[in-house]
């Protein structure tokens, strides 16, 4: 019985000793990236824009070369979509219940979708040995949305009119009815997005600074896997519509709330640079 206890205690000491021999790493990071839509949209061009983030992380070494890690990063992302020489129409009724066709046209329609996330990457990493090491890591990330998600819609040289087929007449005013030349217009609308899931890949150089400290510089790809706009109600027909508010007769809607885009997925990819300072426990 005593022998068994000694064996068990000896085995525990070996396990603890071997585990303690592997490093545990704490790091802080900053990153900047280019982001764009992963899907092409009919009638819209997607523009590359900038995003940024900061974070903290923990990494546990399984051996001299292999480790697993987790981080929490705060990230801000904008997605830009542009439609040039946009125009459209919609059949509706006026205050007197007369049928007419509401028409609009604008030189440029630009929409920017903005959201913030707490990005939680879980990765496995391989690195070489030496003072300057090459590393590569991959894994998955869960982006938990924080704050409000919004879309900023801008229209240049916006012009609207109402065509009444009964009288074969097109009205270009008055403006309180939503007809006329409105120049440059800007509105913000709220969007209800889903949390983001992504595949991550990063590679770069790890420089040993001495005193159990290191500095990483790497390039990464962050590819969105799910449709963040899956549960958005798509019940709008055109980007601009007439309201009953005489002081604000026009209302804009996001392209992600329009019926013609009901089969489009809101996905994006990020390509950027990540800087990381780390120290071993």
């Amino acid at each position: 019985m005593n022998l068994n206890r000694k064996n068990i205690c000896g085995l525990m000491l070996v396990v603890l000793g071997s585990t303690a021999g592997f490093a545990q790493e704490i790091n802080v990071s900053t990153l900047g990236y280019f982001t764009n839509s992963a899907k092409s949209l009919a009638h819209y061009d997607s523009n590359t824009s900038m995003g940024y983030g900061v974070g903290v992380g923990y990494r546990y070494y399984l051996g001299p070369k292999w480790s697993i890690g987790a981080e929490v990063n705060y990230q801000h992302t904008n997605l830009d979509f542009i439609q040039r020489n946009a125009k459209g129409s919609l059949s509706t009724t006026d205050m007197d219940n007369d049928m007419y066709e509401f028409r609009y046209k604008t030189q440029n329609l630009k929409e920017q979708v903005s959201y913030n996330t707490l990005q939680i990457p879980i990765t496995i990493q391989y690195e070489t040995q030496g003072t300057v090491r090459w590393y590569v890591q991959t894994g998955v990330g869960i982006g938990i949305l924080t704050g409000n998600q919004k879309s900023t819609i801008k229209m240049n040289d916006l012009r609207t009119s109402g065509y009444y087929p009964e009288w074969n007449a097109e009205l270009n005013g008055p403006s309180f009815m939503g007809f006329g030349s409105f120049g440059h217009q800007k509105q913000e609308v709220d969007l209800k997005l889903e949390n983001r899931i992504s595949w991550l890949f990063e590679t770069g150089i790890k420089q040993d600074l001495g005193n159990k400290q290191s500095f990483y510089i790497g390039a990464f790809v962050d590819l969105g896997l799910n449709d963040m706009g899956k549960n958005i109600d798509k019940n709008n027909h055109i980007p601009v519509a007439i309201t009953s508010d005489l002081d604000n007769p026009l209302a804009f809607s996001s392209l992600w709330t329009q019926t013609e885009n009901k089969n489009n997925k809101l996905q994006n990819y990020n390509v950027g640079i990540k800087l990381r300072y780390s120290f071993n426990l």
Side-chain angles (χ1 to χ4, degrees):
M1 190 68 170
N2 291 334
L3 182 61
N4 288 337
R5 287 180 178 176
K6 288 181 179 179
N7 289 339
I8 292 172
C9 290
L11 180 60
M12 291 177 64
L13 289 173
V14 170
V15 171
L16 291 173
S18 61
T19 301
F22 297 141
Q24 300 179 70
E25 185 179 271
I26 302 294
N27 64 73
V28 293
S29 60
T30 182
L31 60 150
Y33 52 89
F34 297 101
T35 185
N36 209 329
S37 174
K39 303 289 184 179
S40 59
L41 301 176
H43 311 305
Y44 283 85
D45 297 323
S46 57
N47 273 13
T48 300
S49 58
M50 290 289 295
Y52 59 87
V54 294
V56 295
Y58 170 82
R59 184 158 295 279
Y60 177 78
Y61 278 80
L62 305 172
K65 297 182 178 181
W66 291 94
S67 62
I68 55 175
E71 297 183 27
V72 177
N73 299 321
Y74 174 82
Q75 295 185 8
H76 176 77
T77 303
N78 294 322
L79 292 173
D80 291 341
F81 304 91
I82 293 178
Q83 185 180 14
R84 294 175 175 82
N85 298 315
K87 61 181 179 179
S89 62
L90 177 70
S91 294
T92 184
T93 57
D94 62 15
M95 292 180 292
D96 297 323
N97 209 32
D98 291 325
M99 291 287 300
Y100 75 97
E101 185 180 77
F102 174 69
R103 299 173 175 177
Y104 80 93
K105 58 182 178 180
T106 177
Q107 287 186 357
N108 286 293
L109 189 164
K110 179 179 179 180
E111 177 170 353
Q112 184 176 81
V113 178
S114 302
Y115 61 88
N116 302 316
T117 56
L118 284 179
Q119 173 87 341
I120 303 175
I122 300 173
T123 58
I124 184 168
Q125 177 175 296
Y126 171 83
E127 62 188 72
T128 59
Q129 296 298 290
T131 303
V132 179
R133 306 179 181 187
W134 169 73
Y135 77 91
V136 60
Q137 65 175 236
T138 188
V140 296
I142 301 173
I144 301 173
L145 291 165
T146 63
N148 296 327
Q149 305 94 56
K150 64 181 181 179
S151 180
T152 303
I153 303 167
K154 299 178 181 179
M155 296 191 186
N156 292 331
D157 191 23
L158 175 62
R159 301 184 183 190
T160 65
S161 63
Y163 173 69
Y164 287 80
E166 183 177 358
W167 300 289
N168 190 27
E170 184 172 8
L171 301 183
N172 294 299
S175 59
F176 67 82
M177 289 184 59
F179 305 148
S181 297
F182 293 90
H184 178 74
Q185 294 288 310
K186 174 183 175 181
Q187 290 185 17
E188 289 186 356
V189 297
D190 292 330
L191 289 178
K192 182 63 175 178
L193 302 181
E194 300 294 305
N195 291 332
R196 184 173 182 268
I197 300 173
S198 61
W199 170 76
L200 308 170
F201 177 84
E202 181 181 338
T203 186
I205 298 298
K206 178 181 179 181
Q207 172 71 53
D208 185 1
L209 302 177
N211 297 322
K212 297 184 178 181
Q213 301 176 78
S214 301
F215 182 75
Y216 292 75
I217 179 169
F220 70 89
V221 176
D222 178 343
L223 178 62
L225 300 177
N226 65 315
D227 179 11
M228 297 180 66
K230 178 177 63 174
N231 292 324
I232 295 177
D233 291 331
K234 296 178 171 60
N235 51 17
N236 292 312
H237 297 286
I238 56 176
V240 57
I242 295 288
T243 73
S244 58
D245 186 350
L246 299 182
D247 294 325
N248 299 285
L250 300 179
F252 298 165
S253 63
S254 168
L255 70 92
W256 300 104
T257 66
Q258 294 167 33
T259 54
E260 71 170 3
N261 294 315
K262 63 181 179 180
N263 295 322
N264 290 327
K265 295 182 179 181
L266 179 53
Q267 292 176 265
N268 69 299
Y269 66 89
N270 306 326
V271 178
I273 299 294
K274 189 170 188 178
L275 306 178
R276 188 186 294 113
Y277 164 76
S278 69
F279 58 91
N280 291 355
L281 297 177

